[in-house]
Amino acid sequence: MEENDVRPRGDKKVGRRALHAVKVVLKILKAIVTVSAALTILTHAYFETFGKRWRLEASLHELIPGVQIGFFEDRLGSAAFKRASGEKTEY
């Protein structure tokens, strides 16, 4: 050992243990991030498929007789015949 080196003899073991602990913590964090990303993808996929139908059904239950036409348009969008562009020739 050099004169300027004041480390105790067992310091290498402590350093290895600390490095191992850091590696374990990083692996756990990596697993958490991976699971979180997978859940986000699954949630997004659900709401784009089955959840979309559920939301549409829930909004249809809000549409009852006696409400203003604007309320229907807000919920379902404008009617197809209103969105048509261009002149149509009738024969």
Side-chain angles (χ1 to χ4, degrees), residues 26-76:
L26 288 177
K27 285 182 181 181
I28 291 171
L29 290 175
K30 182 179 175 183
I32 290 171
V33 169
T34 303
V35 169
S36 173
L39 286 176
T40 301
I41 291 170
L42 290 174
T43 302
H44 181 70
Y46 172 78
F47 281 116
E48 288 298 316
T49 55
F50 302 112
K52 190 174 189 177
R53 182 178 174 155
W54 178 80
R55 278 183 286 164
L56 179 61
E57 189 175 307
S59 67
L60 286 175
H61 285 298
E62 294 176 357
L63 303 176
I64 56 174
V67 297
Q68 298 292 325
I69 297 296
F71 185 74
F72 282 93
E73 289 179 348
D74 287 342
R75 293 292 179 205
L76 301 174

